[in-house]
Amino acid sequence: MARTVFEKSDAITLVAEVFRELGFEGASLYEITERTGLSKGSLYHFFPGGKEGMAVEILSHIEQWFVTEVFEPLEHDEPQAAIARMWEAVDAYFRSGRRVCLLGAFALDETRDRFRKPIELYFKRWIEALAGALVRGGVEKEAARGLAEEIVGAIQGALTVSRALKDEAVFGRTLMRLRARTDAALPRRRH
């Protein structure tokens, strides 16, 4: 039975989960309609560009969420508060390790070249925003860059390992260790 969806954002959320489960190549139109309950007509209404248009819209939606919830706070807010917010937002977004990173998944398969630019920009901005917050928080520039790369890479790796082992606790433990390393790298605030 076809599902009634009134907003494009609802369709984006449903289709994104299919891409997370099956990847871009594995998500045929048949699989998308079956798993979402959306009719082909609804899909083409919301995504006139077909499957590729769906992926573009979904990647844009994800990027905008990260811009609002992670990147801009890291770039503009008080560093320690912004970094603390990043840990909470990342844990919530990835549902404590139960949800794969779609940009990371797309970066690993043949889809990478098709969506290279948004994938590259997402990871670059995250690393640069985090490194900038670390520098503003008192970490030396080169060390901040290295730590930011390590953190973003470890988050992506923890998502993969959590999924492979069917153990979301791996993700939580990884975030706790990364947070502790980050806290240790930041000079203590004086009150």
Side-chain angles (χ1 to χ4, degrees), residues 51-121:
K51 189 168 98 167
E52 189 151 336
M54 291 175 204
V56 168
E57 295 264 359
I58 290 164
L59 293 176
S60 176
H61 181 77
I62 292 168
E63 177 195 15
Q64 191 51 55
W65 187 92
F66 271 87
V67 165
T68 303
E69 299 298 323
V70 178
F71 304 159
E72 287 180 348
L74 286 171
E75 292 164 345
H76 304 291
D77 294 354
E78 188 277 323
Q80 281 89 347
I83 293 167
R85 178 178 173 171
M86 178 193 76
W87 298 122
E88 300 306 318
V90 165
D91 190 45
Y93 183 81
F94 294 118
R95 297 182 187 154
S96 299
R98 292 185 303 274
R99 180 191 232 187
V100 70
C101 175
L102 192 54
L103 283 113
F106 278 16
L108 295 175
D109 66 16
E110 56 276 358
T111 309
R112 176 185 61 241
D113 294 335
R114 181 177 286 150
F115 303 110
R116 182 186 62 77
K117 199 64 167 172
I119 292 168
E120 184 179 303
L121 290 174

Side-chain angles (χ1 to χ4, degrees), residues 26-43:
S28 66
L29 190 56
Y30 173 79
E31 286 291 340
I32 294 169
T33 59
E34 284 295 306
R35 289 172 181 248
T36 64
L38 297 172
S39 69
K40 287 182 183 179
S42 291
L43 288 172

Side-chain angles (χ1 to χ4, degrees), residues 107-156:
L108 295 175
D109 66 16
E110 56 276 358
T111 309
R112 176 185 61 241
D113 294 335
R114 181 177 286 150
F115 303 110
R116 182 186 62 77
K117 199 64 167 172
I119 292 168
E120 184 179 303
L121 290 174
Y122 166 83
F123 285 112
K124 277 186 176 181
R125 185 159 182 196
W126 192 352
I127 291 166
E128 289 169 5
L130 179 53
L134 290 165
V135 168
R136 288 191 332 276
V139 178
E140 188 272 327
K141 187 176 182 177
E142 191 172 315
R145 175 70 183 198
L147 183 56
E149 287 175 353
E150 184 178 337
I151 287 168
V152 173
I155 288 169
Q156 295 301 312

Side-chain angles (χ1 to χ4, degrees), residues 5 7-16 38 43 46-47 58:
V5 173
E7 301 287 331
K8 187 174 190 173
S9 62
D10 296 330
I12 287 172
T13 300
L14 293 169
V15 176
L38 297 172
L43 288 172
F46 289 124
F47 307 104
I58 290 164

